[in-house]
Amino acid sequence: MNLPNEFIQQTKEILAAEYDTFEAALSGAAPVSVRINTKTNYLPSDEKVPWCDTGYYLPERPLFTADPLLHAGVYYVQEASSMFLSQIVTKYMSDATNVLDLCAAPGGKSTLLSHYLPESSLLVSNEIIRQRSHILAENIIKWGKANAIVTNNEAKDFGKMGAFFDAIVVDAPCSGEGMFRKDPNSINEWSVANIEICVKRQQSIVEDVWDALKNDGILVYSTCTFNSAENEENIRWICENLGAKVLKLDEVDERITVTNEGYRFYPHKTKGEGFFIAILQKTQDTYRQFKPKNKPDKILREIRNNVALNNLFVPTKEYKFFETENAVFAFPTQHLQTFLYFRTHFQCLLAGIEAYERKGKDLIPTAQLALSKELNQLSINTFESDYTTAIQYLKKESIELNNQPTGYVLITYKGIGLGWVKNIGTRCNNLYPQHWRIRMNL
């Protein structure tokens, strides 16, 4: 691996005698890891990620596209080091109500947060880049939790809200040194000048969102890079300029390097990529508290006393149902006003569950409903597919159903919903989203 001389020099200053071992590790194979969705009964391997009880290493990288369970949200392919966030959530967000994942695409940390946060918590996942925000929304939909909102906004838009969030996660865009092994092309994009640009951008992002964090709230800051400027120096800048103090965990795996400001993951020590993460608590008072001024949503009309809708989800939480001219939505009752607020004040791609799409007089069940882990399968018609049929379905090809009632049928694989077909007797209309379909030859 041909590393830039400036990178070698700065990393030697950090690692000293360990540098040669570190560089050798960068030339090795990157480990493969996944994190399971605990709404399912899936066990991918026997080797667990030491710092995350839902994370597993795989012995080799499979063709994930060919696995229906990936498309069904049974697991998420995530780099092992970043799963360390689970310990922070468990320790410091056990009673958080509102949490923001600010730089959330493609969705690894958001899907992790949705599991480790309390069941009653609301997660807002945001991505500023429009194309990436749609990828984020897709992954949140496939993960299948209802207490989720996906937005496509700038950090300053949240700062204008006033203090609303109990915790904010900022996985800051960075120079990406920790990805050199996984993505060798990133080496060619590296420069000292780019580090300086990243530092300014990172500070700006945190400063812009800072007022959205409640007094004593938790900010988790992370990067996938090694240099101190984007890591420890930024943490000191936040503490000194915005008003915060560093928090620590009681104990961590001995392979993780602990600094005064946070935690470092090196590929020659841990089975994962380069990663830095820190925990901060806000100490400076925010005087602009969140005062919601909900704009009347004239588009939504509440649906009351609909037995079929009320039976649609397992009774783990209460829902209220609304309709527009084009769709039917289910919002968890506990966070109803917040869902309505984000729908009208933000570029909102996802809020609650869009259960049905209306076409003429027909209500067509959506992919989001099919993939919801809260869906009550006893209230609908289902068809359990084998592997070949599941792949045909995910490629949006025609499939045949034997001895199934006409109407909308949920296609499942190993009991997990994949999506809908409309059985019209002689054939089925495959309703899997066109832009999600598998395109490669399998």
Side-chain angles (χ1 to χ4, degrees):
M1 183 176 290
N2 188 19
L3 297 171
N5 289 331
E6 294 94 337
F7 171 79
I8 294 173
Q9 183 60 39
Q10 72 173 22
T11 311
K12 280 184 175 180
E13 292 176 2
I14 297 170
L15 289 173
E18 295 181 36
Y19 178 79
D20 289 343
T21 309
F22 162 81
E23 185 173 335
L26 288 184
S27 300
V32 182
S33 52
V34 301
R35 185 173 37 76
I36 61 171
N37 191 331
T38 51
K39 290 286 185 179
T40 62
N41 297 313
Y42 173 65
L43 187 64
S45 75
D46 295 327
E47 185 181 3
K48 299 193 72 172
V49 174
W51 44 84
C52 180
D53 61 1
T54 58
Y56 293 84
Y57 293 106
L58 303 185
E60 59 184 4
R61 188 175 188 86
L63 182 60
F64 286 115
T65 302
D67 187 358
L69 295 180
L70 173 71
H71 301 273
V74 170
Y75 63 89
Y76 188 95
V77 184
Q78 185 176 18
E79 202 285 305
S81 298
S82 63
M83 296 182 195
F84 185 71
L85 175 62
S86 63
Q87 295 197 12
I88 297 172
V89 178
T90 301
K91 171 73 174 178
Y92 287 110
M93 303 182 197
S94 59
D95 56 358
T97 300
N98 301 310
V99 177
L100 170 64
D101 186 4
L102 182 62
C103 311
K109 291 181 178 63
S110 283
T111 53
L112 182 150
L113 284 162
S114 72
H115 166 64
Y116 285 95
L117 286 169
E119 186 70 24
S120 59
S121 295
L122 175 72
L123 176 65
V124 179
S125 300
N126 179 73
E127 174 55 47
I128 188 173
I129 300 173
R130 185 70 177 177
Q131 183 177 2
R132 285 170 55 84
S133 69
H134 286 286
I135 297 171
L136 171 65
E138 177 183 340
N139 285 324
I140 296 297
I141 287 172
K142 290 180 177 179
W143 201 249
K145 293 291 188 72
N147 286 3
I149 293 172
V150 176
T151 56
N152 172 221
N153 284 79
E154 298 180 20
K156 63 183 180 182
D157 295 329
F158 295 95
K160 293 175 183 177
M161 293 175 63
F164 175 75
F165 293 101
D166 302 287
I168 297 176
V169 175
V170 179
D171 187 34
C174 67
S175 59
E177 297 164 353
M179 295 291 106
F180 282 0
R181 176 170 63 175
K182 196 173 183 180
D183 180 17
N185 290 329
S186 62
I187 299 173
N188 299 325
E189 300 173 2
W190 184 93
S191 70
V192 173
N194 188 41
I195 290 176
E196 295 173 355
I197 293 171
C198 288
V199 168
K200 292 178 181 178
R201 182 190 300 131
Q202 291 151 357
Q203 293 175 358
S204 176
I205 288 171
V206 175
E207 188 171 26
D208 283 347
V209 80
W210 192 248
D211 281 350
L213 184 62
K214 291 181 180 178
N215 298 339
D216 300 320
I218 300 298
L219 178 89
V220 178
Y221 174 92
S222 64
T223 72
C224 58
T225 203
F226 298 117
N227 68 79
S228 298
E230 297 179 70
N231 295 328
E232 285 87 355
E233 291 179 29
N234 260 349
I235 298 304
R236 292 193 290 270
W237 182 90
I238 294 169
C239 291
E240 294 168 4
N241 291 275
L242 302 181
K245 65 179 180 180
V246 175
L247 301 179
K248 290 296 184 70
L249 298 171
D250 296 330
E251 56 183 71
V252 298
D253 189 284
E254 61 184 7
R255 289 161 287 193
I256 299 168
T257 300
V258 182
T259 70
N260 290 334
E261 290 79 12
Y263 302 93
R264 283 178 167 266
F265 291 71
Y266 293 109
H268 67 294
K269 286 188 170 183
T270 59
K271 193 173 180 180
E273 300 304 320
F275 185 62
F276 172 84
I277 192 165
I279 317 159
L280 296 167
Q281 185 173 38
K282 187 173 187 176
T283 57
Q284 185 182 55
D285 286 344
T286 296
Y287 297 102
R288 280 184 56 241
Q289 300 302 311
F290 175 65
K291 295 180 180 179
K293 295 180 180 179
N294 274 1
K295 302 175 183 177
D297 194 331
K298 298 179 181 179
I299 298 175
L300 286 176
R301 299 181 298 273
E302 186 173 356
I303 303 172
R304 301 177 184 271
N305 303 320
N306 186 304
V307 175
L309 289 178
N310 290 334
N311 291 334
L312 202 55
F313 301 102
V314 294
T316 55
K317 56 176 67 75
E318 294 183 359
Y319 292 87
K320 284 189 179 294
F321 298 91
F322 292 81
E323 64 179 345
T324 67
E325 291 183 0
N326 302 315
V328 172
F329 295 88
F331 300 120
T333 303
Q334 181 182 5
H335 298 286
L336 177 61
Q337 294 306 314
T338 303
F339 280 109
L340 297 178
Y341 175 86
F342 275 93
R343 271 180 56 91
T344 55
H345 288 75
F346 281 74
Q347 298 294 325
C348 194
L349 278 68
L350 179 71
I353 299 173
E354 182 180 348
Y356 293 96
E357 179 184 1
R358 192 187 302 278
K359 287 190 176 180
K361 295 182 180 180
D362 292 337
L363 284 177
I364 303 170
T366 66
Q368 188 180 5
L369 180 63
L371 292 160
S372 173
K373 304 305 183 285
E374 312 293 338
L375 177 63
N376 177 15
Q377 292 192 10
L378 297 178
S379 69
I380 56 175
N381 295 319
T382 63
F383 176 80
E384 175 66 14
S385 65
D386 58 19
Y387 175 80
T388 300
T389 303
I391 292 297
Q392 289 174 335
Y393 176 77
L394 293 169
K395 294 177 76 171
K396 204 171 172 60
E397 297 175 352
S398 298
I399 63 172
E400 295 183 3
L401 304 188
N402 297 320
N403 302 318
Q404 289 293 310
T406 57
Y408 296 105
V409 179
L410 177 69
I411 304 300
T412 64
Y413 177 72
K414 297 187 177 181
I416 308 298
L418 293 177
W420 304 96
V421 296
K422 185 175 184 180
N423 185 19
I424 57 177
T426 56
R427 60 182 176 85
C428 289
N429 293 334
N430 188 329
L431 302 181
Y432 196 67
Q434 179 72 20
H435 57 291
W436 288 4
R437 65 185 175 87
I438 296 175
R439 292 174 172 82
M440 66 169 55
N441 293 323
L442 298 176

